[in-house]
């Protein structure tokens, strides 16, 4: 007995013909895309960007550790005297003059114009020729995980004053009190003093004490560097009575002092023409301040830098009040003791390239997926991205103890081994695991090169990105991105 037509189930392998409607349904089923690799690639790119969010949290952790290291460096440095700035011998003379101008009446806001008043201050006379030499003996102090470069400096200075012209540029009507004049020198922090400051003035020798005329002066930074141009540091002044009986001819002054400090040492161009030299045993000096050295040498872990600052370049008059002295801060001659193995700077630089390298690893897994036909779930891409984020945490935590080079080697080895093994497990192929090991070893080696090539990091990163995109285009040139023809599972390697 024949079954009703509704119960007939056509067999595609049957030699009998099927109805036109059934044939159309079968053809439509065959034409339906099995999967779209184009959409999968878009998803992989979106996941790579998404994994940059955890990297931001690692960057926040890095900033916290970096700020803590700066606080420790400041605390240790302050105990040693901080970043010392030295001023050579200058003559300080108190002055007074009668001035007129607007003056507020006592007890009220009423302004009384042109009321004579007594104006007082300190007038500074700079030497016509001056020389200052600083010889530093440095070491590294540690507190917990943090390192601070400290030093002990031997400071030797000398200058010559043209006493016949001293005071000739004083304000109109000013009366200089030469009986109270002092010869003064300066340093940023008196706590760093390791010996008495002794000066030879003419044929007599004196020991300096805190100045009675002006205890300190706030140095002003370079307005081209600091837009606020506010006080950068305070200069403590030490002086001794000048006791001049004859203000004619040339007065020679020389002296020496020993100070300790940390991280940076600088001198001020205190004379009309200043010759300065800073040398020491720190292997990685950084020259900065208002002028670069005219001559510098570095060999066998030592450095020797020399400056020559003429009167015109200094930009400060031969005499002036406290503001002229303060403006010397914008023209200081400085050397910073740089720690080249600072892990925070290197890790911070590597984190800036984190989205690019996460994307490159994802692209590598995408290529493995397309060439093997084995699908990789988005959750697996997230696991791979998390492994790379943890790489930066490992790098930061290990580098604090061992330095950046060893920390990078350990963290990169662990991460490359993990994601390469995961590639072998995911694609169930030892061959793919080996290919992943080679590719990711090269990739993390590229990260290290970028960290060491500061000047060419952007160029190398751009070329590497271009090469990666070229590789993806080449290896996927025969893919059916819509997945209609089934070419998505074809091995095109």
């Amino acid at each position: 007995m024949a079954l009703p037509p509704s119960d007939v189930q056509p067999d595609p392998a049957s030699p009998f013909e099927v109805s036109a409607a059934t044939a159309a349904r079968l053809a439509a089923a065959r034409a339906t895309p099995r999967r779209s690799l184009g959409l999968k690639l878009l998803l992989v790119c979106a996941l790579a960007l998404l994994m940059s969010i955890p990297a931001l949290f690692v960057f926040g952790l890095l900033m916290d550790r970096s700020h803590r290291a700066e606080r420790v460096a400041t605390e240790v440095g302050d105990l040693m005297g901080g970043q010392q700035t030295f001023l050579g011998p200058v003559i300080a003379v108190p002055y007074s003059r009668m001035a007129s101008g607007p003056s507020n009446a006592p007890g009220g806001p009423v302004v009384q114009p042109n009321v004579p008043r007594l104006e007082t201050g300190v007038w500074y006379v700079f030497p016509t020729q001056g020389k200052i030499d600083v010889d530093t003996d440095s070491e590294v102090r540690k507190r917990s995980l943090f390192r601070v470069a400290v030093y002990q400096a031997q400071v030797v200075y000398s200058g010559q004053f043209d006493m016949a012209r001293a005071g000739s540029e004083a304000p109109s009507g000013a009366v200089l009190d030469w009986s109270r004049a002092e010869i003064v020198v300066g340093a940023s922090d008196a706590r760093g003093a390791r010996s008495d400051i002794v000066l030879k003035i003419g044929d007599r020798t004196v020991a300096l004490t805190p100045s009675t005329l002006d205890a300190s002066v706030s140095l002003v930074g370079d307005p081209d560097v600091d837009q606020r141009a506010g006080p950068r540091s305070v200069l403590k002044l030490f002086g001794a009575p000048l006791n001049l009986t004859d203000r004619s001819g040339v007065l020679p002054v020389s002296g020496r002092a020993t100070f300790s400090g940390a991280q940076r040492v600088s001198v001020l161009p205190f004379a009309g023409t200043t010759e300065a030299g800073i040398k020491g045993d720190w292997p990685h000096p950084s020259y900065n301040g208002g002028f670069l050295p005219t001559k510098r040498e570095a060999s066998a872990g030592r450095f020797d830098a020399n400056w020559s600052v003429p009167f015109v370049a200094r930009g400060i008059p031969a005499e002036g009040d406290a503001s002229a002295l303060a403006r010397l801060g914008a023209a200081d001659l400085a050397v910073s003791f740089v720690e080249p193995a600072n892990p925070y700077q290197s890790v911070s630089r590597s984190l800036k390239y984190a989205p690019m390298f996460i994307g490159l690893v994802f692209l590598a897994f995408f290529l493995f997926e397309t060439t093997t036909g084995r699908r990789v779930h988005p959750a697996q891409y997230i696991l791979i991205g998390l492994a790379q984020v943890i790489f930066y945490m490992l790098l930061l935590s290990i580098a604090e103890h061992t330095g950046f080079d060893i920390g990078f080697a350990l963290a990169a080895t662990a991460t490359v081994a993990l994601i390469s093994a995961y590639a072998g497990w995911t694609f169930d192929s030892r061959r793919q695991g080996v290919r992943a090991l080679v590719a990711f070893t090269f990739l993390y080696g590229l990260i290290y090169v970028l960290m060491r090539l500061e000047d060419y990091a952007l160029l190398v990163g751009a070329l590497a990105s271009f090469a990666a995109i070229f590789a993806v285009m080449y290896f996927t040139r025969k893919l059916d991105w819509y997945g209609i023809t089934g070419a998505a599972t074809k091995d095109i390697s």
Side-chain angles (χ1 to χ4, degrees), residues 387-432:
Q388 292 179 270
V389 172
I390 293 175
F391 158 76
Y392 293 103
M393 295 181 62
L394 286 173
L395 175 60
L396 175 60
S397 59
I398 298 175
E400 285 187 324
H401 295 272
T402 64
F404 179 77
D405 291 340
I406 297 178
F408 187 92
L410 295 176
T413 299
T415 305
V416 169
L418 175 61
I419 59 180
S420 300
Y422 191 67
W425 301 332
T426 300
F427 300 107
D428 196 19
S429 170
R430 181 176 299 177
R431 178 187 174 191
Q432 296 300 328

XYZ file of all heavy atoms in Angstrom, residues 387-432:
354
model
N 46.954 36.301 29.007
C 48.325 35.835 29.218
C 49.318 36.942 28.861
O 50.333 37.139 29.544
C 48.595 34.592 28.387
N 49.027 37.700 27.803
C 49.922 38.795 27.430
C 49.860 39.953 28.419
O 50.874 40.602 28.688
C 49.569 39.283 26.028
C 49.882 38.269 24.937
C 49.484 38.787 23.574
O 48.364 38.581 23.133
N 50.397 39.473 22.925
N 48.681 40.227 28.961
C 48.572 41.278 29.973
C 49.354 40.888 31.220
O 50.064 41.714 31.826
C 47.095 41.545 30.301
C 46.977 42.501 31.493
C 46.377 42.137 29.085
N 49.249 39.616 31.597
C 49.987 39.152 32.774
C 51.488 39.223 32.523
O 52.275 39.387 33.466
C 49.535 37.720 33.135
C 48.079 37.754 33.616
C 50.424 37.115 34.215
C 47.484 36.392 33.888
N 51.898 39.129 31.258
C 53.323 39.295 30.938
C 53.844 40.629 31.466
O 54.939 40.689 32.043
C 53.525 39.208 29.424
C 54.784 39.869 28.945
C 56.014 39.269 29.128
C 54.753 41.115 28.317
C 57.182 39.884 28.691
C 55.905 41.736 27.878
C 57.126 41.119 28.066
N 53.076 41.698 31.294
C 53.526 43.009 31.759
C 53.563 43.077 33.286
O 54.432 43.750 33.851
C 52.624 44.100 31.186
C 52.756 44.252 29.690
C 51.798 43.738 28.832
C 53.851 44.887 29.131
C 51.927 43.864 27.447
C 53.988 45.023 27.755
C 53.025 44.499 26.918
O 53.158 44.620 25.560
N 52.645 42.390 33.946
C 52.697 42.336 35.407
C 53.925 41.568 35.873
O 54.607 41.973 36.834
C 51.416 41.694 35.944
C 50.149 42.495 35.678
S 48.675 41.714 36.362
C 49.074 41.724 38.115
N 54.206 40.448 35.208
C 55.419 39.693 35.543
C 56.662 40.537 35.308
O 57.581 40.565 36.141
C 55.489 38.419 34.697
C 54.536 37.277 35.050
C 54.630 36.170 34.013
C 54.851 36.732 36.433
N 56.686 41.239 34.171
C 57.837 42.069 33.839
C 58.066 43.132 34.901
O 59.202 43.339 35.356
C 57.617 42.714 32.471
C 58.672 43.711 31.997
C 60.038 43.054 31.902
C 58.276 44.305 30.650
N 57.015 43.817 35.327
C 57.150 44.873 36.334
C 57.624 44.311 37.667
O 58.551 44.846 38.289
C 55.814 45.595 36.500
C 55.731 46.649 37.600
C 56.747 47.759 37.349
C 54.327 47.219 37.700
N 56.991 43.224 38.110
C 57.309 42.679 39.441
C 58.703 42.075 39.497
O 59.407 42.207 40.508
C 56.260 41.632 39.835
O 56.230 40.576 38.883
N 59.133 41.411 38.412
C 60.465 40.806 38.418
C 61.536 41.862 38.205
O 62.607 41.823 38.838
C 60.559 39.712 37.329
C 59.556 38.588 37.620
C 61.965 39.139 37.268
C 59.495 37.532 36.534
N 61.268 42.838 37.323
C 62.270 43.862 37.025
C 62.603 44.705 38.244
O 63.713 45.227 38.352
C 61.783 44.757 35.884
N 61.663 44.869 39.168
C 61.957 45.620 40.392
C 63.055 44.955 41.204
O 63.794 45.627 41.928
C 60.694 45.757 41.240
C 59.694 46.757 40.714
C 58.541 46.968 41.678
O 58.114 45.986 42.336
O 58.059 48.103 41.792
N 63.166 43.631 41.081
C 64.172 42.896 41.868
C 65.457 42.652 41.088
O 66.547 42.663 41.669
C 63.597 41.545 42.305
C 62.445 41.647 43.255
N 62.597 41.708 44.626
C 61.113 41.714 43.024
C 61.408 41.796 45.207
N 60.494 41.802 44.254
N 65.339 42.396 39.786
C 66.498 41.944 39.019
C 66.986 42.946 37.994
O 68.055 42.758 37.417
C 66.154 40.643 38.284
O 65.121 40.897 37.318
C 65.669 39.577 39.258
N 66.219 43.995 37.715
C 66.534 44.883 36.594
C 65.726 44.487 35.376
O 65.188 43.376 35.287
N 65.670 45.394 34.396
C 64.766 45.191 33.268
C 65.201 44.029 32.380
O 64.371 43.228 31.947
C 64.684 46.471 32.435
C 63.798 46.338 31.234
C 62.423 46.381 31.356
C 64.344 46.149 29.967
C 61.595 46.253 30.251
C 63.531 46.028 28.854
C 62.150 46.067 28.999
N 66.498 43.890 32.083
C 66.947 42.865 31.136
C 66.607 41.464 31.618
O 66.015 40.660 30.883
C 68.453 43.001 30.905
C 68.801 44.274 30.146
O 67.896 44.827 29.493
O 69.957 44.713 30.217
N 66.989 41.150 32.854
C 66.702 39.813 33.376
C 65.207 39.627 33.561
O 64.640 38.564 33.264
C 67.451 39.593 34.705
C 68.957 39.657 34.475
C 67.067 38.257 35.331
C 69.787 39.505 35.722
N 64.513 40.662 34.040
C 63.073 40.573 34.212
C 62.364 40.303 32.898
O 61.431 39.490 32.824
N 62.804 40.980 31.821
C 62.180 40.753 30.518
C 62.440 39.336 30.035
O 61.539 38.678 29.488
C 62.713 41.758 29.502
C 62.017 41.701 28.181
C 60.912 42.508 27.929
C 62.444 40.828 27.185
C 60.250 42.442 26.711
C 61.793 40.763 25.970
C 60.691 41.568 25.732
N 63.676 38.854 30.211
C 63.996 37.499 29.758
C 63.121 36.459 30.449
O 62.583 35.542 29.802
C 65.480 37.214 29.997
N 62.948 36.577 31.763
C 62.149 35.600 32.503
C 60.668 35.696 32.141
O 60.008 34.682 31.883
C 62.348 35.807 34.009
C 63.764 35.536 34.549
C 63.839 35.874 36.035
C 64.161 34.087 34.308
N 60.135 36.924 32.123
C 58.708 37.093 31.821
C 58.388 36.689 30.388
O 57.363 36.035 30.126
C 58.295 38.545 32.068
N 59.251 37.066 29.435
C 59.001 36.715 28.037
C 59.118 35.210 27.822
O 58.315 34.619 27.078
C 59.983 37.455 27.138
N 60.100 34.564 28.453
C 60.246 33.113 28.301
C 59.009 32.385 28.800
O 58.488 31.472 28.127
C 61.491 32.633 29.053
O 62.653 33.270 28.510
C 61.647 31.126 28.930
N 58.519 32.779 29.969
C 57.332 32.122 30.521
C 56.108 32.353 29.630
O 55.332 31.423 29.362
C 57.067 32.643 31.936
N 55.934 33.577 29.142
C 54.750 33.902 28.330
C 54.800 33.217 26.970
O 53.794 32.658 26.505
C 54.631 35.420 28.151
O 54.611 36.052 29.436
C 53.358 35.774 27.410
N 55.953 33.259 26.314
C 56.082 32.609 25.003
C 55.866 31.106 25.127
O 55.192 30.493 24.285
C 57.463 32.931 24.391
C 57.725 32.060 23.168
C 57.544 34.394 24.012
N 56.439 30.500 26.177
C 56.243 29.058 26.374
C 54.764 28.728 26.588
O 54.245 27.736 26.046
C 57.071 28.579 27.555
N 54.071 29.576 27.350
C 52.657 29.305 27.642
C 51.792 29.413 26.392
O 51.017 28.502 26.072
C 52.167 30.278 28.710
C 50.673 30.205 29.049
C 50.303 28.821 29.578
C 50.289 31.292 30.053
N 51.890 30.530 25.651
C 50.994 30.703 24.505
C 51.388 29.785 23.345
O 50.531 29.402 22.539
C 50.947 32.179 24.048
C 52.329 32.700 23.662
C 50.344 33.044 25.134
C 52.331 34.160 23.212
N 52.669 29.384 23.260
C 53.055 28.418 22.237
C 52.496 27.040 22.556
O 51.986 26.336 21.665
C 54.583 28.362 22.111
O 55.118 29.614 21.750
N 52.592 26.652 23.825
C 52.002 25.370 24.225
C 50.487 25.381 24.030
O 49.898 24.383 23.593
C 52.347 25.075 25.683
N 49.864 26.510 24.315
C 48.412 26.600 24.138
C 48.035 26.488 22.657
O 46.987 25.937 22.308
C 47.909 27.926 24.703
C 46.401 28.013 24.803
C 45.705 27.198 25.691
C 45.684 28.893 24.012
C 44.323 27.270 25.793
C 44.303 28.986 24.104
C 43.631 28.164 24.995
O 42.263 28.226 25.086
N 48.888 27.036 21.773
C 48.643 26.879 20.334
C 48.700 25.411 19.940
O 47.863 24.924 19.152
C 49.661 27.691 19.534
N 49.676 24.658 20.490
C 49.746 23.233 20.189
C 48.540 22.474 20.706
O 48.008 21.580 20.033
N 48.070 22.852 21.918
C 46.884 22.171 22.462
C 45.630 22.533 21.663
O 44.785 21.686 21.398
C 46.685 22.567 23.921
C 47.847 22.230 24.810
C 48.754 21.220 24.636
C 48.240 22.908 25.998
N 49.702 21.228 25.627
C 49.402 22.256 26.500
C 47.754 24.007 26.694
C 50.050 22.664 27.648
C 48.394 24.412 27.855
C 49.525 23.755 28.323
N 45.503 23.794 21.304
C 44.292 24.252 20.611
C 44.144 23.605 19.246
O 43.052 23.146 18.876
C 44.319 25.786 20.465
O 44.374 26.385 21.763
C 43.082 26.281 19.731
N 45.257 23.555 18.491
C 45.188 23.005 17.138
C 45.558 21.535 17.085
O 45.628 20.965 15.993
C 46.107 23.815 16.214
C 45.742 25.273 16.135
C 46.525 26.235 16.745
C 44.592 25.684 15.487
C 46.196 27.581 16.682
C 44.252 27.026 15.423
C 45.048 27.974 16.032
N 45.817 20.950 18.277
C 46.121 19.526 18.375
C 47.230 19.142 17.400
O 47.137 18.154 16.663
C 44.852 18.702 18.092
C 45.005 17.245 18.557
O 45.896 16.994 19.395
O 44.249 16.387 18.070
N 48.265 19.995 17.406
C 49.352 19.775 16.450
C 50.658 20.258 17.062
O 50.776 21.434 17.431
C 49.068 20.516 15.141
O 50.207 20.511 14.303
N 51.612 19.357 17.151
C 52.930 19.768 17.654
C 53.601 20.714 16.665
O 54.336 21.624 17.060
C 53.792 18.538 17.872
C 55.179 18.848 18.426
C 55.954 17.581 18.716
N 55.275 16.763 19.715
C 55.729 15.576 20.102
N 56.825 15.072 19.567
N 55.050 14.875 21.014
N 53.316 20.528 15.386
C 53.894 21.399 14.374
C 53.435 22.840 14.577
O 54.237 23.784 14.495
C 53.481 20.906 12.984
C 53.992 21.790 11.842
C 53.400 21.335 10.525
N 53.766 22.236 9.448
C 53.232 22.213 8.238
N 52.289 21.315 7.959
N 53.632 23.059 7.307
N 52.147 23.034 14.851
C 51.647 24.385 15.081
C 52.238 24.990 16.354
O 52.492 26.188 16.423
C 50.116 24.374 15.159
C 49.431 23.958 13.875
C 49.781 24.883 12.721
O 50.012 26.064 12.913
N 49.833 24.315 11.516
